[in-house]
Amino acid sequence: MRLTRKFSMQGRSVLTVVLAIFMASFNVNAQAPEYLSGYADEYKQDPRAANLHWFKDAGLGLFIHYGLYSIPGKGEWVQLLDTVPLHKYALLKDQFTAKDFDAGAIVKLAKKAGMKYITITTKHHDGFCLFKTAQTAFNSVNSPAGRDLIGEMAKACEAGGLGLFLYYSYAADWRHPYFYSREAGWKNGRPPYKTAPKMYKYQQPADFRRYINFVHRQLKEL
């Protein structure tokens, strides 16, 4: 896994984690993933260099934003921009069936369009996870969908020979109890609720370490 780029979001530089899921890259003796079949020799010498070489050559890729915000269809920032109450937004999980999510069909469409990789959101700023995680019940497996959508996408990409990048919102989480408060310095770190929800526990900088630990456990899961 590696950090790949830095984005500017609404005037503030935000470190948004986009993880490249190259699972075999931790073992230089492992066989190269299918999408790196043309870089096998280079991969044996230096998996990271092979991945970077492949990415520079790859060109076109597909970026998918998908999550609870797909239900109201107003974009991934709807909770903050519309100041949707925390408890009301959470109810969207009970409607999340992902019935039209077909990883295999997505991969076929991407390949037909000449794309070499897919990037998909694993957790956006709302804190909802599209993968199996022991860190929070706010996830797709614990919803009516009952599915690990990221796991499905990983299998489909490997079978189809596409690279897979995982977008993970590291520097914003509107649900986690110990993410920074708005008063701590970033207005987009929390929706502008008139009264802070009781589940928001952040009080001092040291509290943020609990969020960091949560994130690192999830990155290991991914």
Side-chain angles (χ1 to χ4, degrees):
M1 293 182 288
R2 58 186 171 81
L3 185 66
T4 58
R5 59 188 65 173
K6 194 172 185 179
F7 292 94
S8 178
M9 188 177 294
Q10 297 194 358
R12 180 183 174 88
S13 179
V14 178
L15 192 62
T16 302
V17 174
V18 184
L19 294 174
I21 182 167
F22 302 128
M23 301 308 294
S25 295
F26 297 100
N27 182 356
V28 295
N29 296 316
Q31 182 178 352
E34 181 61 29
Y35 71 92
L36 281 175
S37 59
Y39 301 78
D41 291 339
E42 185 176 359
Y43 182 85
K44 292 179 180 178
Q45 299 299 319
D46 188 337
R48 183 175 184 276
N51 275 303
L52 289 173
H53 188 184
W54 165 84
F55 184 68
K56 291 177 181 179
D57 293 342
L60 191 64
L62 175 65
F63 198 125
I64 302 171
H65 272 80
Y66 188 57
L68 296 186
Y69 45 81
S70 302
I71 296 174
K74 298 178 67 177
E76 64 275 11
W77 283 71
V78 62
Q79 183 181 359
L80 183 137
L81 297 178
D82 288 3
T83 320
V84 181
L86 201 62
H87 70 280
K88 184 177 181 180
Y89 189 86
L91 293 176
L92 291 173
K93 189 185 80 166
D94 298 330
Q95 304 176 42
F96 191 76
T97 64
K99 64 182 181 66
D100 295 322
F101 185 92
D102 185 333
I106 293 171
V107 167
K108 289 180 181 178
L109 178 65
K111 291 185 67 174
K112 185 176 181 180
M115 297 176 180
K116 302 299 184 182
Y117 64 92
I118 290 175
T119 302
I120 185 170
T121 51
T122 64
K123 176 181 82 79
H124 213 278
H125 308 333
D126 61 358
F128 185 71
C129 304
L130 297 183
F131 58 97
K132 182 179 179 180
T133 173
Q135 312 311 317
T136 175
F138 201 52
N139 63 70
S140 60
V141 179
N142 195 41
S143 75
R147 297 160 58 189
D148 181 341
L149 303 182
I150 301 305
E152 293 177 17
M153 184 61 74
K155 291 178 181 178
C157 284
E158 178 66 13
L162 293 185
L164 176 62
F165 289 80
L166 302 182
Y167 174 112
Y168 181 97
S169 176
Y170 189 106
D173 192 313
W174 301 327
R175 182 176 177 82
H176 195 279
Y178 293 100
F179 193 79
Y180 285 125
S181 65
R182 288 175 65 85
E183 294 73 22
W186 185 36
K187 65 179 182 179
N188 289 340
R190 294 293 199 194
Y193 300 129
K194 292 182 179 180
T195 301
K198 291 182 179 180
M199 70 177 294
Y200 283 1
K201 304 296 184 182
Y202 178 92
Q203 294 184 347
Q204 55 188 345
D207 291 337
F208 193 64
R209 170 50 56 184
R210 299 193 183 196
Y211 173 70
I212 295 297
N213 293 340
F214 164 83
V215 164
H216 288 181
R217 289 192 296 268
Q218 286 209 312
L219 297 186
K220 288 180 180 179
E221 289 175 329
L222 286 170

